[in-house]
Amino acid sequence: MTTNHTWLRPTRPGQQPRLEYGADYNPEQWPRETWDEDIRAMRTAGVTVVSLAIFSWARLEPVEGTYDFGWLDEIMDLLHAGGISVDLATATASPPPWLTTKHPEILPVDREGRTIWPGGRQQWRPTSPIFREHALRLVRVMAERYGNHPALTAWHVSNELGCHNVYDFSDDAAAAFRVWLQQRYSDLGALNAAWGTSFWSQHYSDWAQILPPRLAATHPNPTQQLDFKRFSSEALRVYLRAERDLLHELTPGVPVTTNFMIMGETKAMDYAAWAADVDFVSNDHYRLPGAQDLDELSFSANLTSGVAGGKPWFLMEHSTSAVNWQPINVAKKPGELARDALTHVAHGADAVCYFQWRQSRAGAEKYHSGMMPHAGADSVLFRDVTALGTTLRELAPISGTGRTPSRAAIVFDWDSWWASEQDSHPSDRLRYKQEALDWYTAFLDLGVRADVLPSHADLSGYDLVVAPILHVVPQPLKQRLEAYVDGGGHLVTTYFSGIVDENDHVYLGGYPGALRDLLGIRIEEFEPLLDGDTAPLDNGTTGTLWTDRIDVTGDGVQVLARYKDGGAAITRRTVGTGSAAYVSTRLAADGLAPVLGDLLERAGVTSELPAELRGRVELAVRGEYWFLVNRTAEPVELTGLDGEFLHGSADRLEPRSVTVLRKA
Amino acid sequence: MTTNHTWLRPTRPGQQPRLEYGADYNPEQWPRETWDEDIRAMRTAGVTVVSLAIFSWARLEPVEGTYDFGWLDEIMDLLHAGGISVDLATATASPPPWLTTKHPEILPVDREGRTIWPGGRQQWRPTSPIFREHALRLVRVMAERYGNHPALTAWHVSNELGCHNVYDFSDDAAAAFRVWLQQRYSDLGALNAAWGTSFWSQHYSDWAQILPPRLAATHPNPTQQLDFKRFSSEALRVYLRAERDLLHELTPGVPVTTNFMIMGETKAMDYAAWAADVDFVSNDHYRLPGAQDLDELSFSANLTSGVAGGKPWFLMEHSTSAVNWQPINVAKKPGELARDALTHVAHGADAVCYFQWRQSRAGAEKYHSGMMPHAGADSVLFRDVTALGTTLRELAPISGTGRTPSRAAIVFDWDSWWASEQDSHPSDRLRYKQEALDWYTAFLDLGVRADVLPSHADLSGYDLVVAPILHVVPQPLKQRLEAYVDGGGHLVTTYFSGIVDENDHVYLGGYPGALRDLLGIRIEEFEPLLDGDTAPLDNGTTGTLWTDRIDVTGDGVQVLARYKDGGAAITRRTVGTGSAAYVSTRLAADGLAPVLGDLLERAGVTSELPAELRGRVELAVRGEYWFLVNRTAEPVELTGLDGEFLHGSADRLEPRSVTVLRKA
Amino acid sequence: MTTNHTWLRPTRPGQQPRLEYGADYNPEQWPRETWDEDIRAMRTAGVTVVSLAIFSWARLEPVEGTYDFGWLDEIMDLLHAGGISVDLATATASPPPWLTTKHPEILPVDREGRTIWPGGRQQWRPTSPIFREHALRLVRVMAERYGNHPALTAWHVSNELGCHNVYDFSDDAAAAFRVWLQQRYSDLGALNAAWGTSFWSQHYSDWAQILPPRLAATHPNPTQQLDFKRFSSEALRVYLRAERDLLHELTPGVPVTTNFMIMGETKAMDYAAWAADVDFVSNDHYRLPGAQDLDELSFSANLTSGVAGGKPWFLMEHSTSAVNWQPINVAKKPGELARDALTHVAHGADAVCYFQWRQSRAGAEKYHSGMMPHAGADSVLFRDVTALGTTLRELAPISGTGRTPSRAAIVFDWDSWWASEQDSHPSDRLRYKQEALDWYTAFLDLGVRADVLPSHADLSGYDLVVAPILHVVPQPLKQRLEAYVDGGGHLVTTYFSGIVDENDHVYLGGYPGALRDLLGIRIEEFEPLLDGDTAPLDNGTTGTLWTDRIDVTGDGVQVLARYKDGGAAITRRTVGTGSAAYVSTRLAADGLAPVLGDLLERAGVTSELPAELRGRVELAVRGEYWFLVNRTAEPVELTGLDGEFLHGSADRLEPRSVTVLRKA
């Protein structure tokens, strides 16, 4: 699978290259007199684009088939007059009350059989034919009405597709699941084989017997679970494509996007696949408090760039300060507003947008910060917003330039994420995303750039590739990895990698199955650790969560670190000029840094940063532009950097700040 | 809203003033031969009143329309012969099995759509027309049969209304919710505005589209949630009034009550409003183990007095020792039985009743203590019960006298309790009741009496009023608070106060919104603290949970304490002879005591207690009677008190004891 | 109730006495070519028996009424040719998809009304007439086809009956519950009295009004809960007997079993009663990590022997190494494979079987270890399996010999387990099984053997009997315990014992109710302890969880230990040459050891082990054979033991090892 990603810039004819700046804008929540004030303030702030009508279905079509477009016409015109482009939503994100009242059968049903009622948002089944019929009718009307509006710069399909409704266990979902399975397996025998239905008397004799993995007496069939995850992600893609195709048909040339949610533990949508379905990638990102929160932001922006094939992308949502949906919603500290935005830009964002322009005074998100806070324009926040607008104008030359590939990469694989965290495993403490993030932090600590890539990406340009917990290794991936190493690449992988094929069937003969020969090792039993148990290594690091008892079986295998009892903990097999290394325990970021440092050195990969900046500063590169982000709570003296400083001081990088340099 | 509370004493003609003493009595759980023994033992103990028939529906009407009153007739007569009055239940607290079998559509449905089945108690929808029809038929029969019985002293409507069934999400509830909303908003446009339905495509075009906030994909509309809380409390009031009106019609002159549950975290019933619906206020109270358990008892008794307008009230239930429904049910220590009862009397209780007379030998509450324990009359517990009966006879002169207002007060507001703890807020750790209780503990620590008042109460007589987390401030309340300060009152409020109006809409322009001008401060962003984070103040206290970055904007504002970074933490604005103070963080009882001490001193409010007793002893005053409760684990020497000692030693207040003094 | 247990050895004519060795075998999960390899490897390992077809219904009857026995015929023949017996399942453990698709009304419904869907296993209602009809039809077909097959050695009814589906709240369950109640109580008045329905208006006027204890507003009626537990266990027994009776009718002489799950917290099936329904007892056991894991294994094996009336039994399942269903599934350490198996043999197992022969490569249990691991025969695990096969052949002479009764016993009572852990109790922290296990550990620490017995067992042969938390004491049990003490026996019991009768009605007059006179003490109130609170005793031990304030009321009562405040904590009343002791708090294993040591000394019970081995080694005795299990992490020098060593060293017992000795 390769993303045939075509970068359609959401740019209107004659527009100068720029970094877009803006927000979701919900004028219908405010009295008419506020609108003019809004547009004046947007111009003050440097806003170039807003997303409109995202949750407006009930206002646009208050009664079935009766439309009220007056207010939208007016605000579109006002925005255009103000020089502000519109990323116009298809307004299908949440069905109006009349639709769910008339057709309660579009409401999702959860794993436990509970109906998901209106009151929040996204109360629709991804596979509901009735929902689709009504939604596509609205898309058509929107496209016909606004397709030629001069403010229109892009279409915004639905919103955060799947945020709440990706897993639906309704009868509609069951029917669609069966259709998807028939396409995947063609005949029932293949499905029975893939699902291993000889186990627990699960053999199907008719397609109609198949169900989603609803609440069961004990662990449901794991391949049924994994296929249901795949299906659920695909069902939303099918819906996305239905809106997109209609928009392409009615308004050719207007780029179409939908906002991804590459962040934190949002894992149900395989955005590596979805990227093929949009004209440009856009993403929403929100930080969660914690020691690695800034690294996670960088990781997510980096991965967004990865799914966009390295091309620029659109930061559709983030927050100026606090959000409303975490248990405790902390305000951003001074500097963080700009620091966060510019870190996204550093990783390829050509747009910096927020949820939302004007903080709501009512509704579930009224304590979510906006560009215009409750306090109004006379506020620190709005002054910071305006200052960022100025910065983005200064950085306009960067726009359109994709990221410059690094020499190292981390492979991120949705199938392995899904499969490795299923139930009935050696340890339910395993966290795929955290392991990947820990490797990323280790790269940052060493001052070495690493691209985060979807697993279908071409690895051939990279000197060293880390594939943490690469649990699912179908034969083609096995062959690609072997070819990579044969070609001189340095592969690093970890515990619980290479264990199963695409059907979650274990490779027999000893772990790590598909990677056993490549790594030159064999493991007979997993040895996960109980909470609180640790496994000290002779290199001074300490493992937790997992260990393996490794037998070295291949040629050219060196043991890089051993457990206290003498067993191999980290191995590296040289294969021509390449290598394949294995880390059998969880070392966390602290423990991974020295291990990774050693592996990078062996692979000849070095930091691009002056020695004194490594670890303290994150470096990201877009063409001739270097972005330096202070990762510490202290000022960092900048030395040994040549070039022109576009933003920030040439001498000193304050905490929570970013410097942008055009390299000499 | 003002409580037009009319104190109808549940007293029979010619009865001498007395403090009533008694319990729920369930003779139907025991063989007939036990009854005579019961009445003899009641007389030994000094029992004057029992509540009968609370859960007797299934015994009184074992088959629809067929009644069996023989046993109730007999026990009523026996009690009367024994000189014991009866607070007779309408017996509607739990429907009998035949009713739920015939009409399962009266069973409540929870937020997740689950039916609440019989097996426990209170398995009825507050809004079910079928339940009401059957219940009122029973009320009529009861009233007609026992209205003139000489033992009858009061009617007890249902029991602990709403304890388990206040939130019902059934179709009956949906229908009644719509009716209530139509009465509140008249037209749908007003509702759409109040609920902010422009948000998330929630605009209603027909009343029939409106639902209770059932299980949703994410946070339901907050005003829908708040209105559903209001509706649910009101729906039970409507039911209460239906029983009451029928009783008034059939048995004029017999006072009607229902037992409130002003205690702990019971928050769904707005008893400040309910008080208007009963002829006398009665309350149930049970302690929960913890450092503030005795303060909480005092707080609840105090608030009960507050909702009763300062008049005497009826302690309908508490426990002689352990209860059965907590995770671990500790027995009361020696002295606590009397100490707890007398603390209620200190705050205005004219009756001391227990659940229940005779500890059950079967059923879910068999490990709940009673006046007559499993061990029988030959027990420490029954001897303590008898001793308390004697004490109450000694204290009879106190009966009929309401509490003597104090100079300070705490405002307790159900709307703010409900709204401030809703989801999607800056912090989900905020606890309204705990904050109020912490202020109350600070008053007790300083030896200063404070009345706990519902927010509709007249504040004009108080020198200092604390309104913690007064989150919801409609315009009339804003004006009342401003008038209070203008009139020389000293108002104290805290973080997250003044933020929203009655529709949960944020006041714009800076926090604390409705109170911004009065307090003379402005806050642009909330700064809640993560768990474990603290905010030290320069007065030696330490904040948790919440901070604000305060700008002083008004005249006459003094900063009383600052955060370590120099920002204002506690402010006080003088307004003529009055003032308005703001505490921007959670200080807990320890930290509040010095802050409150300072504010009281500035307001000229001093303790009525001798200095050496302050903090160690709680003082409550009913007319000429002073109640002194030992708050410590040590004996307290009593000095500097003049008057006649009605109960307890004149010299020394033992741990877990109470002294009652008629002031000289 | 007495188990009329008839030990039908699952032995074919002419078979030499042996310890059986084997596993569940699921050839249908593997290609045909694997089968021959399997049988060769089984012979290498010494396998003598396999269980077949446990989850094969969907493969044997892929479409209703259409059977596919070819593969089973073939493997039966192959096994027979290989000299391996078959414990043949009736294949009814999980219904096939066609059956649940056609009859969704056989799916269980949980307490919250949620349907339990297919996907896992055991998705059938124990009381479903439709399920039973289909299942028994299959049993008949299986019996007719394989009843005379020479490989057949026993029938295996269903599998782990009740593991997931014991508690079903469906309408089928409601109907069957009513029938069971009618049999138990005959008339409704008796049920109303037993359930105490005068409480909370629960009086039933028609059998049809009775329901299972479905989700209720608060604690459901406790006797309803307790009877529902009894009914649910009995409903599965009824089902078990239905399969068994059909098998007995069609294949007389072939012994029938079903695998019990006497282990850990599996508590819903009263195996003390079930044992009467099988021709030989078989059990499944899996260890859970923890400090007492090995003691728990011993306890469970011991109790299995107890329910089998002391006769040999069949270990139907345990694991060679890790399982898959715990949160973290640790691999067994070297030695544990044999140590665990031989500990079961020490307690009477005549068969050592595993789940499963060949570790699955797909399905929910693929990470559950097997005799043949994923790594294949070239593995430490398979070599250990083969070595154990050799050991079992050496130990063949032991087979057929039951355990030799010890002088002490622990009584284990399902009714008390069920009732003592119900809700609305003095403390919800009480754990029946843990208390019993702690006493068992104390015995092991003292080097004294104790038989674990069901409460219906004859106690007369034991010098000392511990009955921890014997909460439910019906009159017959009361009389048996009194007779035991009168006969010179030494009874030890604990807090919360003797409290209720068989209907969960409290014995009045003071605790411990039914045992008050026998113990010579009286308690007026329970005094449970809050978490973190402790009660130091003057014997140096420390109580948690519970205390009582004990009055000594009988003759001959000695206080063995007191609380710090002087109150009695442990008492012992001498009755002739017998005694009755009471321990009023939870001391845990550490604290119980000295207390038990004292009580054993007074009863004249001493260890059979040399002093230096006590506590470090567990002793179990089968006739002339002594089993010694190292309980420590250190080697233990063996001295003072005479006899012939059948297995293990005569000098030194390594950690995680077992020595078997034929006593001189």
Side-chain angles (χ1 to χ4, degrees), chain B residues 319-324 329-332 367-370, chain C residues 525-526 528:
Chain B
S319 68
T320 57
S321 189
V323 299
N324 66 304
N329 297 292
V330 295
K332 289 196 178 178
Y367 295 110
H368 191 298
S369 58
Chain C
E525 284 196 86
F526 304 118

Side-chain angles (χ1 to χ4, degrees), chain C residues 66-87:
Chain C
T66 302
Y67 298 96
D68 172 14
F69 285 115
W71 66 272
L72 185 55
D73 292 351
E74 185 174 4
I75 194 69
M76 290 282 286
D77 293 347
L78 284 172
L79 287 162
H80 181 60
I84 297 165
S85 306
V86 174
D87 168 58

Side-chain angles (χ1 to χ4, degrees), chain C residues 8 87 106 112 128 167 173 186 259 263 300 338 343 364 432 451 466 557-558 632 656:
Chain C
L8 285 183
D87 168 58
I106 73 168
E112 301 181 34
S128 165
Y167 293 128
S186 299
N259 44 345
M263 60 174 157
S300 291
T343 303
Y432 177 86
D451 292 347
V466 181
V557 176
Q558 188 178 356
T632 76
R656 300 187 292 278

